[in-house]
Amino acid sequence: MASNSYETGRLNLPFVGICTFGKYPYQPDWDAIDADVAVLGAPFDCGTQWRAGTRFGPRSIREASTLFSFGHGGAYDHEDDATYLPSEAVSIVDIGDADIVHTDTMRSHANIEFGVRKILEAGALPVVLGGDHSINIPCINAFAEDCEKNGPIHIVQIDAHLDFVDERHGVRYGH
């Protein structure tokens, strides 16, 4: 188990400072991503058919994730008696959010795809925080060239339900 090193460095407790995913470093320069994993927010909800609000998902996920950053050694799980994501095992950065142009689905999706492509160019694993169901589309599109070189990709989608259809009510780029 990694030590917490409370005696050295800043504590950077969950309730202080800038809210990034897991309190990992913020990297605003997408041409300087140097990490194993890069977290990108996709605060988009123009593809939802019911009600808006999922645009606040990335911010809420980041805020909740700070609770797992207590101390310097990673996220300790008392049930497993294990420390997950210790800083010496995997490097993680939060690159902020993709630019969202409210009411412009195609432009917003292009900006999300651009962010995922920058992560892939850096050789990092993209973790995208959404947003509505439609953000899968630009994320998958970003892998087009990568799949030609490296084969199939795997997507982990955490959702209450999966409503993946080609078109719903005449809308192609939504659910």
Side-chain angles (χ1 to χ4, degrees):
M1 185 168 90
S3 68
N4 283 328
S5 303
Y6 284 115
E7 294 79 28
T8 62
R10 294 188 60 208
L11 286 179
N12 200 17
L13 296 175
F15 50 85
V16 299
I18 297 170
C19 187
T20 61
F21 183 80
K23 300 290 281 185
Y24 287 103
Y26 172 57
Q27 176 50 272
D29 183 352
W30 292 7
D31 289 318
I33 298 169
D34 183 20
D36 300 315
V37 177
V39 178
L40 170 69
F44 181 79
D45 60 9
C46 293
T48 188
Q49 67 179 11
W50 182 236
R51 63 180 167 188
T54 58
R55 72 184 79 168
F56 301 111
R59 184 173 291 184
S60 296
I61 293 168
R62 285 181 175 112
E63 187 173 320
S65 76
T66 64
L67 297 175
F68 297 99
S69 67
F70 218 90
H72 297 293
Y76 177 74
D77 184 300
H78 70 281
E79 292 174 349
D80 292 343
D81 190 27
T83 301
Y84 296 103
L85 299 176
S87 57
E88 63 273 359
V90 61
S91 60
I92 300 174
V93 295
D94 189 325
I95 66 168
D97 294 337
D99 256 349
I100 300 302
V101 182
H102 193 60
T103 71
D104 190 338
T105 297
M106 300 313 289
R107 181 68 183 262
S108 297
H109 277 193
N111 291 341
I112 295 167
E113 181 178 336
F114 177 77
V116 174
R117 285 184 186 273
K118 294 305 265 185
I119 294 169
L120 292 171
E121 287 173 15
L125 172 73
V127 173
V128 182
L129 311 175
D132 67 34
H133 300 75
S134 75
I135 69 161
N136 290 311
I137 298 164
C139 293
I140 292 167
N141 290 343
F143 276 88
E145 293 172 18
D146 195 64
C147 286
E148 290 176 16
K149 292 186 285 188
N150 300 315
I153 63 169
H154 300 275
I155 297 174
V156 177
Q157 178 178 329
I158 301 170
D159 194 345
H161 58 273
L162 185 62
D163 41 2
F164 235 23
V165 295
D166 286 337
E167 186 176 302
R168 179 169 285 168
H169 309 294
V171 176
R172 174 99 173 115
Y173 299 104
H175 285 289

